Amino acid sequence: MELSENIYEETKQNEGKHIYVVSNESKQNKREPNSLQLGRYKCAVACLGLLCGLLVATIIGLLLKTPTETNQIKTMSYNLTREIEMLQNRYSLLTRDISQLQVRCNNLTREKSFLQDRFNTVADENKKLQKRLCHPKMEMAQYVVDVSLDPDTAENNLILSADGKRVWHVDIRQNLPDNPERFDPVVCVLGKQGFTSGRFYYEVQISGKTAWILGVARESINRKGSIKASPLTGYWTIWLRDDIYKALAGPSVVLTLKEKPERVGVFVDYEAGFVSFYDADRWTPIYSFKDVSFNETIYPFFSPFPNKDNKNSTPLIIVTLFTCLK
């Protein structure tokens, strides 16, 4: 019987035993897997040996590097570390600057809002003032003049604002030139603008003050030593003192006012010899000097009175007025 390509069983009747016969080709196939595994193992061992050789060569190469190369590597590493630290510091500084800029931005935003509110308030006040000056009863509005204070006439304890519109009293005496025009020791100051004809009108804010004098005075008035203000000595004024309003008419006239004025308007008609005072917010007259003969230059006159125990520290303020727009 020929052998087949596969394993087969042939039964022989030989003393009742079964005999199995296996082909030579089948035996050869059983041996082939062991040879393949051996080849793979040898290949793996060869690759492992190659890798170990490369690793050893690399280590030897690193160990054989010259000191110069090693120093260069150390220097590069040090420089890189320094640059990283510098960048971190710059980043920290930039973060801090950004935070500060944000705070400044927030502050500027608040200041802008505050200034905008101030601007709107001033604009509203200007509109009200314009409307008031254009009131039909305000006939003297057409005679508004720009008045400022004369520093050469201010007593040594008076402080004037840079624009010449405010004056207040301080306890510290200033070292000012003792020129003939300066009041001393009475706390007074004149306006820069003198008048020899025509009509003029200006207003002074007196709110918050407990004592003051306002009016006009001749150029030839006495400015040194004690002063008694009256028309006979060249003064046409009114005052507030000890909660009493008076016209210093010589003798003085006590004034009865229904309400305390916050602004006093002063109107002068030079040729008519007329000096009149008004509550500028209510259009009510306060007092008038009539039949006055000036005969020389006259100046606006101001006295904020001494500041006692910080009870009269508010300044007198010359109000900037606007003529009526037709």
Side-chain angles (χ1 to χ4, degrees):
M1 180 181 289
E2 295 181 355
L3 296 177
S4 67
E5 294 180 354
N6 297 320
I7 301 174
Y8 72 95
E9 178 184 356
E10 181 180 347
T11 307
K12 292 184 179 180
Q13 297 294 327
N14 185 10
E15 295 179 351
K17 294 181 181 180
H18 289 273
I19 299 174
Y20 291 90
V21 180
V22 179
S23 66
N24 292 331
E25 186 179 355
S26 298
K27 292 179 181 180
Q28 183 179 358
N29 288 340
K30 284 185 70 176
R31 290 194 299 267
E32 284 181 354
N34 292 332
S35 300
L36 181 61
Q37 290 176 358
L38 180 60
R40 289 178 179 175
Y41 175 75
K42 290 180 179 180
C43 182
V45 170
C47 291
L48 180 60
L50 179 61
L51 290 174
C52 290
L54 291 173
L55 179 60
V56 171
T58 301
I59 293 173
I60 293 173
L62 291 174
L63 293 175
L64 293 178
K65 282 187 177 293
T66 63
T68 301
E69 292 176 332
T70 303
N71 291 334
Q72 288 178 350
I73 293 173
K74 289 182 179 179
T75 301
M76 289 177 63
S77 176
Y78 175 77
N79 291 338
L80 286 173
T81 302
R82 288 291 304 276
E83 289 183 8
I84 291 172
E85 290 177 353
M86 290 174 62
L87 288 174
Q88 288 176 340
N89 290 336
R90 289 186 63 185
Y91 177 79
S92 300
L93 292 174
L94 287 173
T95 303
R96 185 190 64 186
D97 291 343
I98 290 173
S99 177
Q100 292 177 350
L101 288 173
Q102 186 62 49
V103 172
R104 291 186 63 186
C105 180
N106 294 338
N107 291 337
L108 288 173
T109 300
R110 286 193 294 269
E111 290 179 9
K112 178 182 177 182
S113 177
F114 173 75
L115 290 174
Q116 185 64 47
D117 292 341
R118 287 282 304 275
F119 175 82
N120 293 337
T121 300
V122 171
D124 291 341
E125 289 294 326
N126 287 343
K127 289 180 181 179
K128 292 178 182 179
L129 186 59
Q130 180 75 18
K131 183 177 179 180
R132 182 171 64 81
L133 287 175
C134 293
H135 193 282
K137 294 183 178 179
M138 188 59 180
E139 297 178 358
M140 65 282 291
Q142 57 186 310
Y143 305 115
V144 167
V145 292
D146 184 19
V147 174
S148 58
L149 302 169
D150 184 359
D152 291 335
T153 66
E155 191 268 340
N156 284 275
N157 290 82
L158 293 182
I159 302 295
L160 276 57
S161 61
D163 61 359
K165 298 293 184 180
R166 299 170 180 247
V167 57
W168 61 95
H169 177 268
V170 295
D171 293 331
I172 301 174
R173 185 177 175 85
Q174 303 175 89
N175 186 21
L176 299 176
D178 186 20
N179 50 283
E181 296 83 10
R182 191 177 307 282
F183 288 93
D184 188 20
V186 181
V187 288
C188 305
V189 60
L190 296 179
K192 278 186 177 181
Q193 297 76 14
F195 301 90
T196 57
S197 64
R199 300 171 179 175
F200 62 92
Y201 176 82
Y202 63 93
E203 291 182 5
V204 183
Q205 181 174 315
I206 45 85
S207 58
K209 293 196 65 61
T210 59
W212 48 263
I213 302 178
L214 296 175
V216 294
R218 289 195 183 107
E219 183 178 19
S220 60
I221 55 174
N222 177 38
R223 308 185 190 194
K224 307 297 182 182
S226 62
I227 294 175
K228 181 175 177 60
S230 74
L232 294 177
T233 57
Y235 296 87
W236 294 267
T237 58
I238 62 172
W239 80 357
L240 168 65
R241 188 175 182 181
D242 299 326
D243 291 326
I244 298 175
Y245 294 92
K246 288 184 178 181
L248 306 182
S252 298
V253 177
V254 176
L255 305 174
T256 302
L257 305 180
K258 293 182 179 180
E259 297 181 81
K260 292 184 177 182
E262 295 184 355
R263 295 188 183 191
V264 173
V266 182
F267 175 71
V268 177
D269 186 333
Y270 193 96
E271 282 77 17
F274 186 79
V275 180
S276 184
F277 299 88
Y278 298 87
D279 181 332
D281 292 313
R282 300 178 180 85
W283 306 112
T284 54
I286 296 176
Y287 187 82
S288 294
F289 294 91
K290 300 178 181 179
D291 300 324
V292 178
S293 179
F294 295 114
N295 298 324
E296 59 180 281
T297 304
I298 58 174
Y299 292 87
F301 175 85
F302 310 86
S303 174
F305 262 84
N307 174 24
K308 293 182 178 180
D309 300 326
N310 203 34
K311 295 181 179 180
N312 193 34
S313 59
T314 305
L316 287 175
I317 304 173
I318 301 173
V319 181
T320 301
L321 300 174
F322 304 90
T323 56
C324 181
L325 299 176
K326 301 297 184 180

